[in-house]
Amino acid sequence: MPEIPATLKPFAQKQIEKSIEKVETLFGQKPNGIWLPELCINNDTLKMLLNYNINWTIADEAILSKTLKKEIPRNYRGVLEDPFDLCVSHAYRNNNK
């Protein structure tokens, strides 16, 4: 996954903080998860989420495929041949601590 340039990290952090504040204002409690824009998901963003005790996010099929280093094949009609990887939870593990 691509890294966030150092100059943009404070802005990404501020966006996460604003999102958390908005959910707290609307629902009266802090969120457990956040659905990020697809192009925002990377190791830096996931680490930031963990710092705010955000335990889950959702990724699209293309990001999941790249992360798992595994093709998610579809037949000629676009139907998944094996939907297993899309139907289970995947845990983030930072091996670069």
Side-chain angles (χ1 to χ4, degrees):
M1 291 187 270
E3 298 294 318
I4 297 175
T7 55
L8 297 180
K9 285 183 183 181
F11 296 105
Q13 225 168 332
K14 192 67 174 170
Q15 287 293 323
I16 291 169
E17 290 170 5
K18 284 184 173 189
S19 297
I20 291 169
E21 288 171 12
K22 186 66 169 180
V23 170
E24 286 179 309
T25 299
L26 292 173
F27 300 105
Q29 63 186 30
K30 188 175 172 233
N32 291 324
I34 292 178
W35 190 331
L36 296 170
E38 294 167 5
L39 297 176
C40 290
I41 299 175
N42 59 49
N43 287 323
D44 289 331
T45 307
L46 294 175
K47 287 180 215 172
M48 285 183 207
L49 292 178
L50 290 173
N51 289 334
Y52 289 99
N53 295 317
I54 299 296
N55 299 312
W56 61 264
T57 189
I58 297 172
D60 73 352
E61 186 177 324
I63 290 173
L64 181 61
S65 177
K66 287 178 187 176
T67 302
L68 296 177
K69 295 180 175 77
K70 178 180 179 184
E71 185 179 348
I72 300 174
R74 293 179 176 269
N75 69 16
Y76 69 96
R77 290 185 181 167
V79 177
L80 287 167
E81 292 179 7
D82 180 6
F84 178 79
D85 286 320
L86 297 179
C87 298
V88 297
S89 297
H90 297 274
Y92 168 70
R93 288 181 180 72
N94 179 18
N95 296 328
N96 300 324
K97 289 185 178 181

